[in-house]
Amino acid sequence: MKTIATIVGARPQFIKVAPVSRALTAVGGIREVLIHTGQHHDAGMSDVFFDELGIDAPDHHLGIHGGGHGAMTGAMLAGLEPILTKLRPDWVLVYGDTNSTLAGALVASKLHIPVAHVEAGLRSFNRAMPEEINRIVADHLSDVLFGSTQTAVENLRREGIDEAKIQSVGDVMYDAALHFSAVAAAKSTVLDNHGLSRGGYVLATVHRAENTDNPLRLKAIVQGLEEIAATHPVILPLHPRTRDRMAAQGLAFDKVVVIQPVGYLDMVALESSAALIATDSGGVQKEAFFYSVPCVTLRDETEWVELVDLGWNRLASPAAEGGIGPAIRAALSSRGREAKPYGDGHASTKIAEFLAR
């Protein structure tokens, strides 16, 4: 029996793990050991996702969160090394572009344990983003790179990654969306709880450090969302980091409806029923597309360039004065072209079968 050590730490990774873990169980002959670094430690950002997604409790929970990137990543390295040294898995499986991804890939590489990277090849081409550094380093340390899109595969080829290491499988988040959308429709009561009607509101999410830690960008986002909320209901599940930074800067919402972070099923219900989503999240951009909802990305660039090309997504930089409100208003009446850039909904099975071989 093969052993696979899966290393996760943040909400988007929990969503990706769910379909892959199911596929690993289905393929047989694999023991998965789940290691949670603790990067997202708040119960609303972590525990509820494990429950709703049907993921087993982690075999190891390192409880590492807070501090700067160096301190956090260093603590993860120290916490992961003895576990992987004792376990000696056949593969270490990492997801996305967080500090947990970087730490997992780096420790495994130094211990000469093969690394598999799900969602490899994404590039924003902005090295000021910590996530860009994480994904580049993880890709170049990995022994197999599972690409979500053709764009990602081409990025890896341009960087000189050995063709034999690249596997174009599709997007595991699409697998998750197909599986959980019906579950959310049956179980979630979040729209009724907040008096929302389908297609009658804008959903916003804000959490990236490049926005929350920059006073001018954060102020621009608050003002832009308030501008829209004057004529369209705007609902915002407030990330703990954003809440803290707003308080420190004396910023507050007046018209925007602020709620606590929600679980995955409630988030799916909010996303799929929104008239538009305004976000700085990478995963939420794709989820908007999965549910045929227009999206405005509150960043200077996006990794998911195919969504911009298809017309489902548009960029609204918080650094551009007064640009957020008009971008959202223009996108409210827009629709993109139909396409399937993220595979056939069986990416998780392809990953599991590859690792089993």
Side-chain angles (χ1 to χ4, degrees):
M1 177 175 284
K2 287 188 174 181
T3 298
I4 293 178
T6 296
I7 297 173
V8 295
R11 169 197 178 274
Q13 294 169 329
F14 309 150
I15 298 167
K16 297 163 193 170
V17 161
V20 175
S21 290
R22 284 198 306 272
L24 290 172
T25 299
V27 80
I30 292 176
R31 169 195 174 212
E32 185 180 25
V33 177
L34 186 60
I35 305 170
H36 185 351
T37 64
Q39 187 168 341
H40 276 174
H41 62 286
D42 183 279
M45 301 295 291
S46 178
D47 296 354
V48 67
F49 283 85
F50 278 80
D51 294 339
E52 292 185 342
L53 292 164
I55 305 171
D56 290 338
D59 297 279
H60 302 274
H61 196 303
L62 303 184
I64 298 167
H65 54 267
H69 288 285
M72 180 188 289
T73 307
M76 290 175 183
L77 293 172
L80 289 168
E81 186 171 30
I83 296 172
L84 295 181
T85 298
K86 181 178 181 180
L87 188 62
R88 298 305 305 183
D90 296 278
W91 288 97
V92 164
L93 187 59
V94 296
Y95 291 78
D97 55 17
T98 69
N99 290 337
S100 303
T101 311
L102 174 62
L106 187 56
V107 168
S109 179
K110 285 181 174 291
L111 293 175
H112 307 294
I113 300 169
V115 180
H117 186 195
V118 176
E119 212 173 65
L122 297 186
R123 297 293 182 267
S124 67
F125 303 101
N126 177 6
R127 294 207 177 192
M129 291 175 58
E131 295 87 353
E132 184 79 349
I133 303 302
N134 291 345
R135 61 174 72 107
I136 290 172
V137 175
D139 279 344
H140 284 265
L141 291 174
S142 294
D143 297 275
V144 61
L145 301 98
F146 295 116
S148 303
T149 66
Q150 190 59 38
T151 301
V153 169
E154 292 302 326
N155 287 338
L156 295 172
R157 287 172 176 158
R158 278 196 299 271
E159 292 178 14
I161 300 290
D162 185 349
E163 187 75 29
K165 295 181 177 182
I166 302 171
Q167 297 292 317
S168 181
V169 295
D171 197 315
V172 296
M173 285 191 69
Y174 184 41
D175 299 12
L178 292 175
H179 179 80
F180 286 107
S181 57
V183 180
K187 291 187 175 183
S188 176
T189 60
V190 69
L191 268 66
D192 291 338
N193 294 346
H194 295 285
L196 301 171
S197 60
R198 185 173 182 85
Y201 61 92
V202 171
L203 173 66
T205 78
V206 182
H207 79 282
R208 281 194 183 268
E210 67 187 87
N211 285 331
T212 61
D213 295 357
N214 184 312
L216 294 178
R217 293 175 74 95
L218 185 57
K219 183 179 180 180
I221 291 171
V222 171
Q223 291 177 338
L225 294 179
E226 282 285 287
E227 178 186 334
I228 295 300
T231 55
H232 294 79
V234 177
I235 187 164
L236 171 68
L238 192 59
H239 192 286
R241 177 197 289 142
T242 312
R243 178 195 61 215
D244 294 345
R245 301 300 191 273
M246 286 182 63
Q249 295 175 32
L251 296 172
F253 287 111
D254 178 35
K255 301 179 182 68
V256 171
V257 177
V258 174
I259 64 174
Q260 292 296 314
V262 298
Y264 180 59
L265 296 182
D266 282 348
M267 191 63 179
V268 167
L270 287 170
E271 290 171 342
S272 60
S273 297
L276 178 137
I277 298 174
T279 185
D280 62 6
S281 163
V284 173
Q285 294 174 51
K286 286 190 297 177
E287 288 167 342
F289 171 73
F290 297 153
Y291 305 125
S292 300
V293 175
C295 182
V296 173
T297 295
L298 307 174
R299 287 167 53 189
D300 301 332
E301 70 287 303
T302 178
E303 301 80 9
W304 307 108
V305 293
E306 56 277 351
L307 297 184
V308 176
D309 294 340
L310 290 170
W312 284 103
N313 193 3
R314 65 183 68 197
L315 296 171
S317 171
E321 186 175 352
I324 291 176
I328 293 176
R329 291 188 192 284
L332 274 166
S333 58
S334 70
R335 298 283 295 180
R337 302 192 309 278
E338 297 298 323
K340 285 187 173 291
Y342 299 115
D344 57 7
H346 298 288
S348 303
T349 299
K350 295 173 185 176
I351 289 170
E353 290 176 347
F354 181 94
L355 296 177
R357 290 196 300 270

